[in-house]
Amino acid sequence: MSRLTGWWVRRSTAGKVELYTRWTFHFFVLVEIASIGGVPVGQTDRDPLGPPLAAALALFVCTHAVLNGVLSSRALDWVLDRRERPVRLAVTQLTLTAAGVLTVIALRATGVLANGAVAAGVITGTITFTLGSLVMCLKRVRHMLYAAPLAALTTGAAVAAMGVGIPEALGYTLGILLAGGGLVAACGFSAWLMKMVWELERTKELKARLAVAEERLRFGRDLHDVMGRNLSVIALKSELAVQLARRERPEAVDQMIEVQRIAQESQREVRDVVRGYREADLRVELEGARGVLSAAGIACAMESDLEAGMGSGVGKAGLGSGGGSGLGSGDDGLPSEVRSALGWVVRETTTNVLRHGDPSRCAISLRRKDDAVVLTVENDGVREAPGPRVGGSGLAGLRERLSAVDGTLTAGPGDGGTFLVTARVPVPRRGDAA
């Protein structure tokens, strides 16, 4: 079943909106052929239209529909800044439509096409579908609003000028204004919506890259603060030691001993910085997960039955509620190494939720079961098959961290098409440990 639906599930929200929009415009091709192209053929028995003229009108409608579908696809690519605006194709489609419409009006005026329903269907239909594709090639909304009234008035004037009749000309004008105006609004809004969805998708990716860049800058500032002064002192004392050594002064040895001491101190401080960067605190990571998921518009529910894991007692916190953090700051009874390992699980799984899925909700649970603490992270919106994620380097690294505290990690599909990560670490209760 996953192979049949993978082409849809693995797409992002923007990709799904684009796919739906494109196939809607492709479906318009079939709608135009079925609703307009079949009208002349179906009228040959009740009207002296003749098979040759009916076939010619049907061929015109089919050609127009296919070209209109190609123009719509190219216009959508232009809206998304993937290609140049299809000006030549739009001019070709407009020319074909104008030539076909004027020919049908002339046939109607000379009496060759006596059936007004056939003429109305071909003229109104082709102009309406042309307006739907042409409007996506326009930059300004004002020009889009002018398209349907201009086409309606021009067609009505042409019909009246060729002597078909004022009432029929008014009918063409009203029909094109209503049908064309509706399709113009629908197509223009669809193109705008697709562009906005992709903009939001790019904004989400940009926020993730900015977060990574900000973390790198923070780490760089910490290293600069630690190493900047010490390296300056080492350089000065080394230069002083060189000068003293050239003068054969015994103080040169003392200066080099001081340089050695400062270098060792710098090594210790760098280790402290890196250790703080590499270690993860469970409470801090839960707060970070809440903030990151909230910024991404993902609803999150957190539960805990530890003393101070995520609140007092069993607590739930929705990310859009505007309530407090729900995370306690006291002792939850977990050893520091266990808190660090579980913190890494929260950090890595939160990253996977944002990177590998398109979720709308995420549930994080921290509970004590028997003599173990169980952390679960479950999210919907799985965009790719769970198999590759289970063997990913991120989850493999988590298994290594958990194995250091005799913990285990399982990851795979959950109920209802979700993805579930479960970390289990044996932690005796305080009474038992005593």
Side-chain angles (χ1 to χ4, degrees):
M1 187 65 181
S2 60
R3 294 182 178 179
L4 297 177
T5 60
W7 61 273
W8 174 263
V9 174
R10 283 192 291 267
R11 293 180 179 270
S12 63
T13 300
K16 292 176 182 178
V17 173
E18 180 182 353
L19 184 64
Y20 170 78
T21 304
R22 286 187 180 276
W23 279 103
T24 299
F25 285 107
H26 294 335
F27 183 70
F28 282 170
V29 176
L30 301 179
V31 172
E32 183 177 355
I33 293 175
S35 61
I36 304 174
V39 173
V41 178
Q43 296 291 329
T44 54
D45 296 336
R46 293 174 290 173
D47 189 81
L49 190 62
L53 182 56
L57 290 177
L59 179 61
F60 161 69
V61 173
C62 292
T63 304
H64 179 275
V66 173
L67 186 60
N68 208 55
V70 176
L71 177 59
S72 299
S73 180
R74 299 287 180 84
L76 288 176
D77 289 337
W78 172 70
V79 170
L80 298 177
D81 298 326
R82 297 175 182 172
R83 65 167 65 237
E84 297 293 330
R85 183 160 56 166
V87 177
R88 294 183 180 179
L89 188 60
V91 172
T92 302
Q93 176 70 346
L94 186 60
T95 303
L96 175 65
T97 304
V101 167
L102 291 176
T103 302
V104 174
I105 294 176
L107 294 175
R108 176 67 175 150
T110 56
V112 177
L113 184 58
N115 194 324
V118 174
V122 174
I123 294 173
T124 304
T126 53
I127 292 178
T128 298
F129 282 105
T130 299
L131 288 173
S133 60
L134 286 179
V135 74
M136 293 186 296
C137 299
L138 301 177
K139 293 181 178 180
R140 299 182 179 180
V141 178
R142 182 174 69 253
H143 296 165
M144 298 180 184
L145 297 177
Y146 293 158
L150 182 61
L153 294 176
T154 303
T155 305
V159 172
M162 290 186 179
V164 178
I166 300 299
E168 194 165 339
L170 293 176
Y172 281 114
T173 302
L174 183 60
I176 295 174
L177 184 62
L178 294 178
L183 194 60
V184 163
C187 294
F189 177 77
S190 297
W192 173 83
L193 179 63
M194 189 174 66
K195 184 176 182 179
M196 290 301 102
V197 171
W198 273 113
E199 288 292 337
L200 292 175
E201 187 80 6
R202 285 191 287 268
T203 301
K204 181 179 177 181
E205 295 176 358
L206 180 60
K207 288 173 64 177
R209 289 196 296 268
L210 288 176
V212 174
E214 183 179 357
E215 179 63 18
R216 289 175 178 173
L217 288 174
R218 184 196 68 80
F219 187 64
R221 286 194 302 267
D222 291 345
L223 284 178
H224 179 271
D225 294 340
V226 169
M227 297 298 296
R229 181 185 64 84
N230 290 349
L231 289 177
S232 299
V233 175
I234 289 174
L236 291 174
K237 287 187 172 294
S238 298
E239 184 178 356
L240 178 59
V242 171
Q243 297 296 331
L244 293 174
R246 288 175 178 175
R247 298 175 186 177
E248 297 182 355
R249 299 284 298 275
E251 291 86 350
V253 177
D254 296 334
Q255 294 298 326
M256 292 307 301
I257 293 175
E258 183 67 13
V259 168
Q260 184 181 20
R261 186 192 65 79
I262 296 175
Q264 293 173 348
E265 181 69 17
S266 299
Q267 288 180 333
R268 184 189 62 79
E269 292 179 352
V270 169
R271 292 193 191 99
D272 291 340
V273 172
V274 175
R275 186 181 301 111
Y277 181 75
R278 290 182 175 178
E279 289 183 353
D281 182 75
L282 178 59
R283 186 182 63 84
V284 174
E285 294 302 329
L286 288 171
E287 279 284 8
R290 181 191 301 277
V292 170
L293 294 176
S294 177
I298 302 172
C300 182
M302 291 188 174
E303 299 184 20
S304 174
D305 60 2
L306 302 182
E307 289 85 346
M310 294 181 227
S312 178
V314 179
K316 291 186 179 182
L319 283 178
S321 60
S325 68
L327 301 175
S329 59
D331 183 17
D332 54 15
L334 300 180
S336 59
E337 61 273 13
V338 174
R339 292 178 60 87
S340 178
L342 294 178
W344 272 104
V345 174
V346 174
R347 180 186 296 185
E348 180 66 24
T349 52
T350 302
T351 302
N352 287 342
V353 168
L354 296 173
R355 182 183 301 169
H356 300 295
D358 188 19
S360 60
R361 59 181 178 86
C362 179
I364 302 176
S365 174
L366 182 64
R367 295 185 177 276
R368 182 180 289 275
K369 295 182 179 179
D370 299 330
D371 289 336
V373 172
V374 179
L375 172 68
T376 61
V377 180
E378 185 175 15
N379 66 277
D380 62 352
V382 181
R383 199 160 60 205
E384 60 184 26
R389 293 178 60 188
V390 176
S393 59
L395 296 181
L398 291 181
R399 290 190 175 94
E400 293 178 1
R401 294 180 183 274
L402 289 172
S403 64
V405 290
D406 297 328
T408 58
L409 181 77
T410 59
D415 298 332
T418 62
F419 190 81
L420 177 63
V421 177
T422 303
R424 184 183 181 90
V425 181
V427 178
R429 298 181 183 273
R430 290 181 175 180
D432 299 338

